[in-house]
């Protein structure tokens, strides 16, 4: 059996420079600034803000988001929601079609535990499955998911949205809660047009739409352009990442998460190898041709990953180049995936560890 001391990766007061790697680290000041920046924007425009916790999966960070003014949280799976309900959160929206007896039974238990649970549906199959179980029990609030251009889940037309809303409202055990969408970035006009048509169709049926939930960090600072939305959901903003920098959402200085890695080999003048591979950085390219941005070495390219090794192409770098034993700070392409690769997250201020938090919902993807 593993000795408990083996699991201790860091403690308050340790220096980041002394940490064993690879290890994701979170800058406390950047974290707080990101939370406050986005909440201030939402407050300025009179929008409720519902942070998506899939980015961090840590209850303590959701507490900070709520303390700043967020109205409830967004989870992606029932298992994530269970963790956050256990931590005391009572207003949770799960933005994923929930199908199958096991999941629905867990959902029903969760619905009796917290006061304001909400889910989404984009088909009669999903709605009827929920209705069959919740009939005669505490009603479950269901929002219609709409595809406004994001190309994932969602009904394709306003007519379908209104029809599904009527089916939810008519079902014993279900309550129609509104509509939800995750659009592609820079499409506020199209999103507003779709939502407006849905609201008009609902009004003709004598139905109100309590929640109009728009979403996404990439769409974050155009949220105020979707005038019909009552709330916005976003997750990545709390850490930010390389993708968000490219999209102009933030700068490198706003990225709170870095993956700390050590150069373990310099086989040639133009190649370095680090101890962070796909199990630390993820193989999620997000449209990039390499696997992360190395702070201080902008011309270096993490050109390939195996499970435990990251290979860095130094051919375009001027001297000095990274040396064996040097620790590198890497801005990942996608922070949300990194969170799901580690049991704990190390927080620091000025290079000194402030706390270590368990990634409580890690691996809960069903």
């Amino acid at each position: 059996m593993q000795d408990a001391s083996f699991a201790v990766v860091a403690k308050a007061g340790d220096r980041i420079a002394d940490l064993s790697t690879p290890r994701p680290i979170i800058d406390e000041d950047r974290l707080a600034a990101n939370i406050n920046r986005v909440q201030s924007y939402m407050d300025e425009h009179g929008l409720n803000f519902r942070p998506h916790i899939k980015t961090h999966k840590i209850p303590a960070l959701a507490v900070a988001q709520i303390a700043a003014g967020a109205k409830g949280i967004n989870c992606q799976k029932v298992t994530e929601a269970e963790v956050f309900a256990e931590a005391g959160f009572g207003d949770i929206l799960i933005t994923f079609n929930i199908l199958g007896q096991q999941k629905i039974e867990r959902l029903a238990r969760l619905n009796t535990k917290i006061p304001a649970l909400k889910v989404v549906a984009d088909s009669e199959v999903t709605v009827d499955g929920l209705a069959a179980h919740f009939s005669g029990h505490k009603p479950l609030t269901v929002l219609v998911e709409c595809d406004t251009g994001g190309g994932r889940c969602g009904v394709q037309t306003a007519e379908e949205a209104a029809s599904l809303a009527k089916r939810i409202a008519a079902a014993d055990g279900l309550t129609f809660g509104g509509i939800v969408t995750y659009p592609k970035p820079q499409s506020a006009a199209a999103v507003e047009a779709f939502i407006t048509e849905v609201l008009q169709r609902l009004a003709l049926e004598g139905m109100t739409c309590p929640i109009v939930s728009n979403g996404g960090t990439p769409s974050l600072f155009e949220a105020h352009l979707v005038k019909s939305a009552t709330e916005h959901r976003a997750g990545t903003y709390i850490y930010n990442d390389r993708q968000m920098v490219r999209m102009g959402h933030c700068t490198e200085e706003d990225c709170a998460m870095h993956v700390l890695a050590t150069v373990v080999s310099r086989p040639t003048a133009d190649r370095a190898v680090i101890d962070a591979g796909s199990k630390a950085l993820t193989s999620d390219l997000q449209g990039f041709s390499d696997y992360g941005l190395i702070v201080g070495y902008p011309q270096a390219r993490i050109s390939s990953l195996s499970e435990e090794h990251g290979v860095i192409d130094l051919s375009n770098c001027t001297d000095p180049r990274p040396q064996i034993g040097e620790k590198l700070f890497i801005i990942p392409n996608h922070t949300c995936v990194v969170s799901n690769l580690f049991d704990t997250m190390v927080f620091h201020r000025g290079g000194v560890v402030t706390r270590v938090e368990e990634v409580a919902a890690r691996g809960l993807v069903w």
Side-chain angles (χ1 to χ4, degrees):
M1 185 174 178
Q2 180 175 293
D3 186 274
S5 63
F6 184 82
V8 178
V9 295
K11 62 182 184 301
D14 287 350
R15 297 193 316 141
I16 290 297
D18 296 332
L19 292 183
S20 201
T21 60
R23 171 62 47 190
I25 57 174
I26 309 297
D27 185 298
E28 294 271 24
D29 293 331
R30 294 182 181 187
L31 177 84
N34 291 340
I35 292 173
N36 292 331
R37 173 192 181 208
V38 170
Q39 188 62 56
S40 295
Y41 167 81
M42 295 297 170
D43 291 345
E44 177 185 352
H45 293 287
L47 275 166
N48 289 333
F49 184 47
R50 184 180 296 275
H52 204 322
I53 59 79
K54 72 180 177 65
T55 297
H56 55 73
K57 292 176 171 276
I58 300 173
L61 297 196
V63 168
Q65 291 169 311
I66 296 294
K71 309 295 185 184
I73 61 171
N74 182 186
C75 294
Q76 199 73 338
K77 299 294 178 68
V78 175
T79 47
E80 281 185 337
E82 288 172 338
V83 168
F84 282 80
E86 190 65 31
F89 293 87
D91 185 345
I92 300 176
L93 169 64
I94 303 174
T95 46
F96 209 90
N97 283 306
I98 298 170
L99 298 161
Q101 190 66 21
Q102 285 189 341
K103 286 187 175 68
I104 293 176
E105 286 177 357
R106 296 179 78 144
L107 183 68
R109 290 193 291 271
L110 192 62
N111 194 43
T112 62
K113 184 173 184 176
I114 66 175
L117 178 66
K118 294 169 280 289
V119 301
V120 303
D122 71 350
S123 72
E124 293 181 357
V125 173
T126 303
V127 170
D128 292 351
L130 294 171
H133 190 93
F134 282 87
S135 178
H137 298 281
K138 178 188 174 184
L140 176 69
T141 299
V142 183
L143 285 71
V144 175
E145 184 166 9
C146 303
D147 180 6
T148 56
R152 297 202 302 204
C153 297
V155 297
Q156 298 299 296
T157 67
E159 182 180 9
E160 289 178 89
S163 176
L164 199 59
K166 287 173 61 181
R167 194 178 189 93
I168 293 166
D172 182 34
L174 303 183
T175 300
F176 173 63
I179 61 175
V180 60
T181 187
Y182 185 86
K184 65 181 180 180
Q186 287 78 58
S187 62
V191 175
E192 177 64 17
F194 189 105
I195 292 172
T196 298
E197 185 179 351
V198 174
L199 296 178
Q200 289 171 346
R201 287 180 176 274
L202 290 175
L204 289 174
E205 299 290 343
M207 296 177 64
T208 59
C209 188
I211 298 171
V212 177
S213 184
N214 192 20
T217 297
S219 306
L220 192 55
F221 291 110
E222 63 181 43
H224 67 287
L225 299 177
V226 183
K227 302 294 186 182
S228 298
T230 62
E231 71 173 28
H232 195 90
R233 312 176 321 279
T236 307
Y237 84 96
I238 191 171
Y239 290 156
N240 287 318
D241 55 22
R242 192 183 183 195
Q243 180 194 24
M244 293 302 106
V245 173
R246 179 184 59 194
M247 297 186 76
H249 166 68
C250 64
T251 68
E252 289 181 32
E253 287 68 35
D254 298 314
C255 291
M257 174 189 280
H258 296 89
V259 175
L260 191 65
T262 302
V263 178
V264 295
S265 178
R266 282 291 310 275
T268 73
D270 288 340
R271 186 166 80 241
V273 181
I274 54 176
D275 58 0
S278 62
K279 290 179 177 176
L281 286 170
T282 92
S283 54
D284 196 344
L285 284 169
Q286 293 294 90
F288 293 99
S289 60
D290 53 352
Y291 296 92
L293 180 64
I294 305 174
V295 176
Y297 297 99
Q299 302 307 315
R301 293 183 61 256
I302 305 174
S303 57
S304 66
L305 300 178
S306 53
E307 289 182 64
E308 308 291 354
H309 300 78
V311 175
I312 303 176
D313 178 0
L314 302 174
S315 58
N316 291 321
C317 292
T318 57
D319 291 329
R321 299 181 176 193
Q323 299 301 311
I324 293 175
E326 184 175 346
K327 283 189 168 69
L328 304 179
F329 289 75
I330 301 167
I331 298 175
N333 291 347
H334 193 184
T335 58
C336 305
V337 188
V338 173
S339 291
N340 202 49
L341 295 174
F342 290 87
D343 291 328
T344 56
M345 203 65 60
V346 175
F347 296 75
H348 70 99
R349 179 174 287 112
V352 177
V353 174
T354 53
R355 54 178 166 149
V356 178
E357 296 283 357
E358 178 188 1
V359 185
R362 183 199 173 194
L364 300 181
V365 295
W366 66 89

